[in-house]
Amino acid sequence: MLSGRSGQALVLVLLMTTFIFLVGSAALALSLPARRNAALDVFQKQAYYIAEAGVERVLAKIREDPGWVRDELSLGEEYDFLASELNGESSIFGGEFEEIKIKKTGEFPLKVSLNITSTGKYREARKKINVDVNVDYLYAEEIFRGIWTRSLSGLKLSHGVEVTSDVMASDGEVILPAGTRIKGDVYSKKKVVLEEKQGNEFVELEGDIFVQGIGLAAGDYALEIKKGAVINNAYVENGKVYISEGNKEAVNPLINGKIYVKNIDQLDEEWREKNPGKWEVKPELSCGQYIPPYPNLLTGERLKWYEENADFRYEGQGSPIFFDTDMLNNLNGLYFVNGDAIFSGEYSGNGTFVVNGDVTFKKFSGRDKASLVPENNETDCLAILCTGVFETRDANGEIHALLYSSSDSFTEIKNKTEINGAIVIPNIKSNGYELNFVYDDALINRYSQNLIWTTCIISIEKWSS
């Protein structure tokens, strides 16, 4: 009797043991894929981080050396960043970069479009990231083009103004008095007037004229070329063209190239007949494509970025901050001034000042004709960006710098002022004082080499994986 019960208990124990074994085996069999899936998920995340690091390497390269985009990347061609810039060194975070490639997909006035692909590998996991990027204001010479204003009508002076520049661009009217000499091109969305010769002074343009003629009434002139002016080619999309003819050949305008118009009625019929080789009708003419929009470097978002990323910050606290020779010594990087600023003296090094206020230039003590000059013309560079206006009343001398303003208020030229560098100011006027401007391409080149990162803007348009 007892032995029969013990046999039953043994069978029961064996059954329970078998059941537990089967359940354990099943649980183990189920847990292994889950563990593999969990591990694969970790690996995929790590691969994603590696791919993301590849994209960041490219963005860092653009920020540190924006000129690389122009010098090394060709439009539409794929560039192997991993092989060319990282020398094939792919190991990172216990995994590796499988590929990092970049392609310049578009090049427009003031903007370059790029596509970046980066693939990260970690164990058996791979992740690929595809990023579309826009880089605004990548090239310094596209911002600091010479004299760039929205309106130059304020510089129509009885005393005359001498302006020597490689490029003059405008969103509105450009009125050039006798004595003006432009080495580069003249752009206007509305109207260009070349004033009449005065004595031995006349308007001379070595480049071309591009006039869009926006907002003109029927019969209005978009281009007026008066007696004694010397031009190359002129392109006029809308509006009529006036070309004066005097009694003496010596005072007639000299057109070395041609006048191009969209339709024949833009030119006077009698002038056309007298000058058969000096004009041409181009129905497809579109001058707007040549006129870039005025650069917008100091938006609220950008000002915040400048303040947060500046190497040096100053608070005006109600009174202007004065930057003299001592404070302008060994400049290095980005400086942010919250308030008005005064500049006077000799500077050295390379610096960009962003001033959230007005900027005044004062005469440099001890120098008869200097207000703001570099210690070394071959190495030093200074750019000043402000939200207010530039004041030259106390300058009466030379200013060697790249100047940018976002204010729609008029910057008024006072006292005889010479600016070497570039002027990007929306509106300029004068009460008869002389502005002598010289475009300094060497200064622009130094800015491109050392400071363009302070004004170029990188924006992510699309990020997918």
Side-chain angles (χ1 to χ4, degrees):
M1 191 72 177
L2 289 174
S3 62
R5 289 181 177 177
S6 63
Q8 292 175 1
L10 180 61
V11 171
L12 183 60
V13 169
L14 289 173
L15 289 174
M16 290 296 294
T17 302
T18 302
F19 175 76
I20 291 170
F21 175 78
L22 291 173
V23 170
S25 298
L28 182 61
L30 291 172
S31 68
L32 287 175
R35 291 175 63 187
R36 281 198 297 270
N37 289 337
L40 184 58
D41 183 58
V42 171
F43 296 163
Q44 286 177 335
K45 287 181 179 179
Q46 194 69 11
Y48 179 88
Y49 295 145
I50 292 171
E52 187 179 54
V55 174
E56 292 298 333
R57 292 281 181 93
V58 176
L59 296 179
K61 176 68 176 179
I62 296 170
R63 292 188 188 98
E64 293 169 3
D65 184 14
W68 166 81
V69 175
R70 173 174 50 191
D71 298 337
E72 298 295 335
L73 304 184
S74 300
L75 187 63
E77 294 183 9
E78 199 167 60
Y79 182 85
D80 192 335
F81 187 88
L82 178 59
S84 301
E85 302 300 324
L86 301 184
N87 298 318
E89 293 293 333
S90 59
S91 299
I92 181 174
F93 303 153
E96 63 178 341
F97 298 124
E98 196 166 79
E99 70 168 18
I100 306 172
K101 294 186 177 180
I102 182 170
K103 181 188 290 187
K104 186 187 292 183
T105 56
E107 195 154 21
F108 314 95
L110 305 181
K111 181 175 76 173
V112 172
S113 296
L114 306 170
N115 175 258
I116 304 168
T117 57
S118 176
T119 302
K121 181 181 176 183
Y122 189 84
R123 304 284 180 92
E124 62 265 34
R126 285 181 174 82
K127 274 291 184 179
K128 183 176 182 178
I129 294 177
N130 191 301
V131 181
D132 291 330
V133 176
N134 283 335
V135 187
D136 296 332
Y137 315 124
L138 182 62
Y139 308 136
E141 65 273 21
E142 291 187 349
I143 303 173
F144 301 110
R145 300 171 67 90
I147 291 184
W148 188 345
T149 76
R150 288 199 174 107
S151 174
L152 265 180
S153 56
L155 281 179
K156 181 181 179 182
L157 310 176
S158 59
H159 292 74
V161 175
E162 181 183 358
V163 179
T164 304
S165 171
D166 274 352
V167 177
M168 183 175 291
S170 175
D171 288 349
E173 294 184 353
V174 176
I175 300 179
L176 304 177
T180 299
R181 184 168 70 90
I182 308 296
K183 291 183 178 179
D185 299 329
V186 174
Y187 302 87
S188 177
K189 288 188 176 180
K190 189 174 182 180
K191 181 177 183 178
V192 171
V193 179
L194 311 184
E195 289 290 89
E196 189 171 319
K197 181 179 179 181
Q198 301 291 328
N200 293 324
E201 294 189 341
F202 55 93
V203 179
E204 182 180 8
L205 305 183
E206 296 182 16
D208 296 334
I209 302 172
F210 298 88
V211 188
Q212 199 169 3
I214 293 177
L216 296 177
D220 283 352
Y221 290 109
L223 174 62
E224 296 182 34
I225 307 173
K226 298 184 180 180
K227 296 177 183 179
V230 178
I231 72 167
N232 191 31
N233 297 302
Y235 300 82
V236 185
E237 184 176 346
N238 300 296
K240 299 191 70 176
V241 178
Y242 170 80
I243 304 172
S244 69
E245 290 191 288
N247 296 324
K248 295 181 180 179
E249 188 70 24
V251 298
N252 285 341
L254 176 60
I255 301 173
N256 292 317
K258 285 185 179 181
I259 307 293
Y260 296 91
V261 293
K262 197 166 187 175
N263 65 76
I264 198 168
D265 294 334
Q266 292 175 260
L267 290 167
D268 179 74
E269 182 177 0
E270 184 178 351
W271 185 87
R272 295 197 314 262
E273 292 175 352
K274 290 181 178 179
N275 301 275
K278 290 296 181 181
W279 59 274
E280 185 177 331
V281 176
K282 298 173 72 71
E284 73 282 4
L285 183 61
S286 175
C287 293
Q289 63 181 311
Y290 301 108
I291 305 175
Y294 190 84
N296 193 6
L297 302 180
L298 297 181
T299 63
E301 181 180 356
R302 285 292 292 169
L303 273 176
K304 183 178 179 181
W305 184 90
Y306 281 124
E307 186 170 14
E308 292 175 349
N309 291 275
D311 300 295
F312 306 91
R313 285 180 288 275
Y314 302 87
E315 287 290 334
Q317 298 178 345
S319 59
I321 296 177
F322 186 73
F323 294 95
D324 59 8
T325 299
D326 290 338
M327 294 186 69
L328 297 173
N329 189 35
N330 293 323
L331 297 176
N332 183 23
L334 181 61
Y335 299 75
F336 184 84
V337 181
N338 192 22
D340 297 339
I342 299 172
F343 288 86
S344 176
E346 190 174 64
Y347 63 85
S348 62
N350 296 277
T352 295
F353 280 80
V354 177
V355 180
N356 189 19
D358 296 333
V359 171
T360 299
F361 296 105
K362 285 185 174 293
K363 187 176 178 181
F364 181 12
S365 178
R367 297 279 290 273
D368 292 337
K369 297 183 178 181
S371 296
L372 187 65
V373 296
E375 180 181 295
N376 188 322
N377 282 317
E378 296 182 358
T379 60
D380 301 333
C381 178
L382 176 62
I384 303 175
L385 286 58
C386 76
T387 60
V389 299
F390 290 102
E391 174 64 71
T392 65
R393 178 181 54 195
D394 299 321
N396 194 29
E398 299 177 16
I399 299 170
H400 292 248
L402 308 178
L403 307 180
Y404 170 90
S405 169
S406 63
S407 173
D408 285 330
S409 299
F410 276 93
T411 285
E412 187 171 356
I413 302 299
K414 298 178 179 179
N415 290 356
K416 185 175 181 179
T417 301
E418 178 176 325
I419 297 178
N420 289 262
I423 303 172
V424 188
I425 299 175
N427 297 292
I428 305 174
K429 69 178 181 180
S430 175
N431 289 322
Y433 294 106
E434 183 177 330
L435 170 65
N436 191 333
F437 174 75
V438 178
Y439 179 78
D440 190 342
D441 55 359
L443 187 61
I444 304 299
N445 290 335
R446 292 198 292 275
Y447 188 86
S448 292
Q449 295 167 8
N450 301 302
L451 293 168
I452 188 60
W453 63 270
T454 61
T455 45
C456 80
I457 302 169
I458 301 174
S459 58
I460 306 297
E461 298 300 308
K462 181 181 177 182
W463 185 294
S464 59
S465 61

